[in-house]
Amino acid sequence: MAESRAGDSAEHNAEQSTGNSTGNDDVYVVEPLLPHRLRRPSDLLRFFATLIVLGAVILLALVAKQTLIGLEADVKEGAELVPLLSRIAAFLGGAAVLIVPTAFAVERVFHRDGLRVAEGLIAAIVGMAGSFLLGQWLVAGNVDDLRVLLTGDRRIEPLNTLLTSVIAYSTAVRISRRPTWRMLMWTTIALYILALFSGRQITIPSAIVTVLVGMAIGYATLYGVGSPNTRPPGNAVVAALRKLSFAPVSARRVEDDHQGSRRYAIGLKDGSSLDVTVLDRDRQVAGLPYRLWRRFRLNSETRRRAIRSLRAELEREALMAYAAQAAGASTPRLLGTSEIGTEAALLAYEHIETRPLDEVPDAEIDDELLAQIWEQVELLQIQRLAHRRLTGDSIHLDGAGRVVLTDARSGEVAAGDLLLRLDVAQLLTYLALRVGPERSVRAAADAMGPDALAAAMPLLQQIALTRETRSAVAKAKNVLPGIREHIVALKPQGKIEEVRLERFRPRTLITIIASAFAAYVVLSQLSQVDIYHVLTTANWGWSGLALVAAFASFVAAALMLRGFVPEHLPLWRTVLVQFASSFVKLVAPAAVGGVAINTRYLQKRGIHPASAVASVGASQLIMLVFHISLLALFAYITGSTTPTSFTPSRGLVLVLLAVAVLVVAVLGVPPLRRLVTSRLRKLFSNVLPRLLDVLQSPRKMVEACIGTLMITITFVLCLHACIAAFGHEISFTAVAVVFLTANAIGSAAPTPGGLGAVELALVGGLVLAGVPKELATSAVLLYRLLTFWLPVLPGWAAFTYLQRNEDL
């Protein structure tokens, strides 16, 4: 363990702490006074978990309203068949729901635990007041659907105040930890709910919501006022060491480890010392949200269990320590383990005076030291031991300059290949941050061999590193590419397999959430439209014209792409690629799917990747210029034309203001500005030379301009024809302004194909243009059917065909 850091912390604590004595040989424990009350992370997590369950129950109940009504009728009918049972339940439940909590309070007071009863009373008062206020808010008609769900449209309380306060009290006094009282309490609550239900004083959703609200209030009270501190103090640690046949003569608390476990420096009678780590039960859930997120996000082999019991954590660390000793690695010897009552456990290690590598200057990290570090890691890997935290605070140097590995708690015994390679990637990255990629790779290759480095190269990803190393790598962005370059130089012929550690990326989760919201918006729009009426009342002539315009948009997209590629591209094969992109839009945002498909297609045609990206980037840049120019042109024409019913001045001003605010926000926030500029730089870095190549061919330039212009014209014509199909007249320029605005919004939306955003923007724009809302919704529905949904099937066929012929 790190003596310098421990000693400094001990001196600091000694100045601001009081000691305590074990009563045995007068061992004085120097440690800060432990707080009398703690806010336990487990209570906060239970509170949030209860809120999540509460939200899920309400949503499910709103969706399955008819099922609940039927279930309630069945239960009511069953209760009427046994009226005697209902009366008995009413009598027992009504009386016991007050008697049982009172009896538990008396029992706790007799055991001098009145403070727990006081906490329960606070929770009961908050529960009664909170349920009453929430019920009054619902009765006032703020959320009618929820009020009807909880009351059955009867004159009853949405939330039963007595039941809420009893549940909050039971939760706050932790009655669940007493099996007999827990069974008695929940039996009483069940009888009381049955009595209320048979008397038509509560509904099934109301009963469930009341119980969950009471539990949430109970957990919130526990976290707010805190719980009695049950962590054993230092004298209990000394007493546990005596049971292990150690003879402590001094004890002082030192700095906690990175997981928040307490650490003590213990002096023994024979002059030796121990480093003791204390695992507290209430700390086992510390950092749980982060661990759950990692477990949910990463693939199974790289994840760690989010929650372990105190016993499991003790056994895990002890097993790893003994295995590392057996492997011959230089680690502090584990000399003993023990539980400290029911709330903690300890691990006693031999004390070695060391300093962490983080405190060693970079200039002192020579090649010999690097070789020692990799030698220790190799000893672990030979025995299939994964350390999983090879950082500067777990790699130490003793007084003679020898490497000592500490912090074995995160390790894995009988680790798989992936975990062993992760260790190599982590250590490579950490040392590269200290001594540079070249020295880090050279030292690793000397110890582990080039093959081991080549196997670890696919795992040189930020997500695979520890949190501290990830932060450092984010600041030094060239570290990982530098490591890869030096590994490739050592093993250029090695075949690198792809390793995906993430189940999904955060942006994927955002897309899923946005898509779900968009689907809800679209479905809510569809619920207001009679689909059969739309299909039967639409004019087939105008609908046919809209279909032709929709098909022509794919030809226009192919012409645009051909125009920006100096090399020859077959027209109809390029048209098929545009159809394939319509299929990809189902799973990718509108602005991403087409770019990816076109870039892949150009690469498969033998065009260099940089040139392919530049061609697609050039087409997108010119498309943006055309888009802005046409929007300004059509807005001007529309605003200066008096016969039209559309006066877009207010809407156009709002759009321009929104765009201006967005631009100012992006340019004013440094992280957003860097993100946008880096993305644009990647996309358009080679665009200008590519545009110069296109300008050298007048035919290509004309083809590019015609294709770019035709894309907008065909889509506007399709939307205009869809509106005309329902018998409404509107100017072509007004439709163009609406389409161009909605298309910009759809391109920025993170949903597949701009789903939801495009529909809302189009309907809103047409309504502003004077189109009735029902007609606008029907026209937009027909437009999206022709341009988004109908091409999906031929797009899938084109995608499959192009893949089979290795064009994608």
Side-chain angles (χ1 to χ4, degrees), residues 109-122:
V109 170
F110 273 118
H111 285 82
R112 297 182 179 180
D113 196 9
L115 191 57
R116 181 182 301 191
V117 177
E119 295 171 359
L121 291 176
I122 293 173

Side-chain angles (χ1 to χ4, degrees), residues 362-374:
D362 294 347
E364 295 183 18
I365 304 178
D366 54 20
D367 292 343
E368 182 181 353
L369 178 55
L370 294 176
Q372 280 194 60
I373 294 172
W374 282 107

Side-chain angles (χ1 to χ4, degrees), residues 277-608:
T277 300
V278 177
L279 310 179
D280 292 302
R281 186 182 299 279
D282 62 85
R283 292 290 305 171
Q284 296 306 303
V285 296
L288 180 62
Y290 175 75
R291 297 202 299 270
L292 286 174
W293 167 247
R294 294 274 293 183
R295 185 171 178 82
F296 178 59
R297 182 180 174 186
L298 299 183
N299 288 323
S300 57
E301 192 174 350
T302 63
R303 301 175 301 177
R304 309 176 191 179
R305 290 193 60 180
I307 303 177
R308 281 193 179 87
S309 66
L310 180 65
R311 164 64 66 174
E313 195 68 23
L314 175 67
E315 292 174 347
R316 175 192 177 92
E317 183 170 350
L319 178 60
M320 184 63 189
Y322 288 135
Q325 288 176 217
S330 178
T331 60
R333 285 193 307 132
L334 179 62
L335 302 178
T337 61
S338 174
E339 289 187 338
I340 314 174
T342 60
E343 297 298 322
L346 67 81
L347 299 101
Y349 292 92
E350 69 170 339
H351 174 72
I352 304 175
E353 291 198 23
T354 62
R355 56 174 177 161
L357 193 61
D358 276 344
E359 296 181 4
V360 177
D362 294 347
E364 295 183 18
I365 304 178
D366 54 20
D367 292 343
E368 182 181 353
L369 178 55
L370 294 176
Q372 280 194 60
I373 294 172
W374 282 107
E375 179 184 352
Q376 294 299 316
V377 174
E378 186 180 18
L379 290 173
L380 295 179
Q381 300 233 335
I382 290 173
Q383 297 299 320
R384 312 293 297 180
L385 302 177
H387 189 281
R388 305 210 65 182
R389 188 174 171 78
L390 292 170
T391 60
D393 59 358
S394 61
I395 302 173
H396 287 232
L397 301 182
D398 64 12
R402 290 187 295 268
V403 172
V404 178
L405 299 181
T406 65
D407 195 12
R409 190 185 314 176
S410 302
E412 294 278 356
V413 177
D417 289 339
L418 183 59
L419 292 182
L420 299 179
R421 292 156 61 193
L422 281 170
D423 265 4
V424 175
Q426 163 63 32
L427 186 55
L428 270 172
T429 307
Y430 173 76
L431 293 178
L433 290 167
R434 299 295 305 275
V435 301
E438 192 272 335
R439 287 184 62 196
S440 175
V441 171
R442 187 176 68 242
D446 292 341
M448 310 289 292
D451 291 334
L453 301 191
M457 191 164 73
L459 299 173
L460 290 169
Q461 310 171 30
Q462 287 196 33
I463 191 65
L465 308 175
T466 63
R467 193 184 304 189
E468 298 85 353
T469 309
R470 282 203 305 272
S471 300
V473 167
K475 298 175 183 176
K477 298 184 179 180
N478 295 324
V479 170
L480 293 181
I483 297 174
R484 295 189 190 101
E485 289 177 6
H486 287 93
I487 293 177
V488 170
L490 287 174
K491 192 80 174 174
Q493 74 280 9
K495 182 179 179 181
I496 306 302
E497 60 174 322
E498 292 292 332
V499 177
R500 178 162 183 171
L501 300 177
E502 297 174 284
R503 292 178 181 272
F504 60 87
R505 296 182 178 179
R507 70 179 65 178
T508 305
L509 186 62
I510 295 173
T511 300
I512 293 172
I513 295 173
S515 300
F517 176 75
Y520 172 78
V521 171
V522 173
L523 290 175
S524 63
Q525 289 181 351
L526 293 179
S527 65
Q528 304 173 8
V529 179
D530 187 346
I531 304 296
Y532 177 78
H533 178 74
V534 170
L535 296 177
T536 54
T537 58
N539 183 282
W540 286 99
W542 285 109
S543 300
L545 177 61
L547 178 62
V548 172
F551 175 79
S553 67
F554 293 98
V555 179
L559 291 174
M560 182 185 72
L561 182 63
R562 280 164 46 98
F564 287 100
V565 178
E567 295 81 1
H568 173 72
L569 296 177
L571 177 60
W572 293 110
R573 184 63 58 91
T574 309
V575 171
L576 287 179
V577 173
Q578 308 315 307
F579 271 102
S581 68
S582 67
F583 169 68
V584 176
K585 287 179 183 178
L586 279 178
V587 294
V592 176
V595 171
I597 284 290
N598 286 327
T599 304
R600 180 68 174 171
Y601 168 63
L602 295 181
Q603 292 179 13
K604 283 292 187 177
R605 296 296 301 180
I607 299 174
H608 190 273

Side-chain angles (χ1 to χ4, degrees), residues 27 29 234 237-238 241 246-254 263-268 272-276 348-349 351:
V27 175
V29 181
V237 175
V238 171
L241 289 173
F246 294 108
V249 295
S250 65
R252 67 179 184 275
R253 182 163 171 193
V254 296
R263 295 171 57 239
Y264 290 85
I266 307 293
L268 300 181
S272 61
S273 300
L274 297 177
D275 288 321
V276 175
Y349 292 92
H351 174 72

